[in-house]
Amino acid sequence: MIENEYRYRINKVIDHIEKNLDNNFSLNQLAEVSNFSKFHFSRIFQGITGETPFQLILRLRLEKAASLLTHSNDSISDIAFKCGFKSLPVFSKNFKCHFSESATSFKKKNSNLNKVNSNTDKSNEAPSIYICNQTKSIKWKIDMKNNESIEIKELPNIPVVYLRHIGPYQGDAELFERLFSKLFTWAGPKRLLDNGDFQTAIVYHDDVNVADKSKLRTSICLTASENTKVDGEIGKMVLEKGKYVVARFTIKADEFQQAWDWLMGKWFPTSGYQPDDKACFELYPEEPENGTFKVDICVPVRKL
């Protein structure tokens, strides 16, 4: 369908922007990525996303900054420059306009909230460190129900094909079922499911706590070789290699939020790590069985 080809090209532009968010962009460069005429690209982009390219760039930079203010110990000026702002006053003005409070106030409020959350019931679920003799790696002993393991790993690049959803998704199991069904329907005739070692993944591009819910981006993914040809609204990307905390859970559909809350609110404050600014994702090593999911929650990390 022609509409799907348009969405594929616009998603390609958004992926390019996200990967290079601290760069300067020109309309001509973005039009070239989309393979649309520079005379019509901006109108097409706004018609599909509801934002101009530069409105989207500004929003993504501000939302990334807000997420870093919540989870990072970096200074406000360092975060502003890391997110592509060339001037602290310009960043401060735009941040206050978007979030209706200053960056300083936002950081103080959300840092205090994280401290309160991390102290709640800490004695019952506080992880303790040990060295695994078999893998020679650091792991954590966990008391949380349904958590099988948690460790820091160096993950390789993971090529995937994806179907993108924009909008609310939390707690909507039927939405994910429809999206995976659509992706598998596309992948089946291309024999991408013939090899039994494929995995599925869900990538969360935005921080759900700071992003506009109507603009949240999530990608339903299937591992595939880098030379896989895509078409229509199906895109391809690489889950970036790097250091991740990988927390494996065996959970029901209604327990995902609890698992994420535990990882972010209990494990991180005691770990000596902070989230890095790449996208986090869920990797599914097995197919769900009887409504139970085995999932590796993967969050990029760096030292505090």
Side-chain angles (χ1 to χ4, degrees), residues 37-76:
S37 161
K38 63 182 180 181
F39 299 106
H40 304 292
F41 165 69
S42 186
R43 286 193 180 93
I44 293 170
F45 190 98
Q46 185 171 4
I48 289 178
T49 68
E51 299 173 285
T52 69
F54 294 107
Q55 285 173 335
L56 179 132
I57 290 167
L58 177 60
R59 178 174 63 79
L60 291 184
R61 284 174 172 169
L62 291 169
E63 288 174 355
K64 178 180 178 181
S67 184
L68 289 175
L69 287 169
T70 301
H71 301 298
S72 167
N73 287 331
D74 293 346
S75 69
I76 291 176

Side-chain angles (χ1 to χ4, degrees), residues 8 15 158-164 179-180 182-184 186-188 190 192-193 198-203 219-231 233-239:
Y8 164 74
D15 289 345
I158 304 174
V160 298
V161 294
Y162 72 83
L163 177 64
R164 178 76 43 82
L179 293 171
F180 271 119
K182 191 173 185 179
L183 181 60
F184 287 164
W186 175 89
K190 301 181 185 305
L192 296 182
L193 307 178
F198 70 84
Q199 291 181 298
T200 56
I202 301 176
V203 179
S219 297
I220 307 304
C221 306
L222 178 69
T223 54
S225 65
E226 286 191 80
N227 60 4
T228 300
K229 292 183 179 180
V230 295
D231 53 58
E233 61 184 318
I234 307 298
K236 63 180 179 179
M237 62 181 174
V238 174
L239 308 184

Side-chain angles (χ1 to χ4, degrees), residues 6-21 25 30 33-34 41 45 48-53 56-57 59-60 162 164 166 205-206 215 217 219 237:
Y6 272 59
R7 290 190 180 279
Y8 164 74
R9 293 195 197 183
I10 295 303
N11 283 338
K12 188 176 178 183
V13 175
I14 295 172
D15 289 345
H16 175 75
I17 290 170
E18 184 177 29
K19 190 175 290 186
N20 304 280
L21 199 52
F25 298 98
L30 296 178
V33 172
S34 74
F41 165 69
F45 190 98
I48 289 178
T49 68
E51 299 173 285
T52 69
L56 179 132
I57 290 167
R59 178 174 63 79
L60 291 184
Y162 72 83
R164 178 76 43 82
I166 299 178
H205 300 271
D206 306 295
K215 295 182 172 66
R217 295 166 298 140
S219 297
M237 62 181 174

Side-chain angles (χ1 to χ4, degrees), residues 135-147:
T135 62
K136 304 301 181 185
S137 63
I138 297 176
K139 295 188 177 182
W140 281 260
K141 291 180 180 176
I142 306 298
D143 292 330
M144 182 195 172
K145 176 187 174 184
N146 299 336
N147 177 258

Side-chain angles (χ1 to χ4, degrees), residues 169-174 176 253-254 257:
Y169 57 78
Q170 285 186 297
D172 193 344
E174 290 184 2
F176 287 103
D254 61 355
Q257 190 60 52

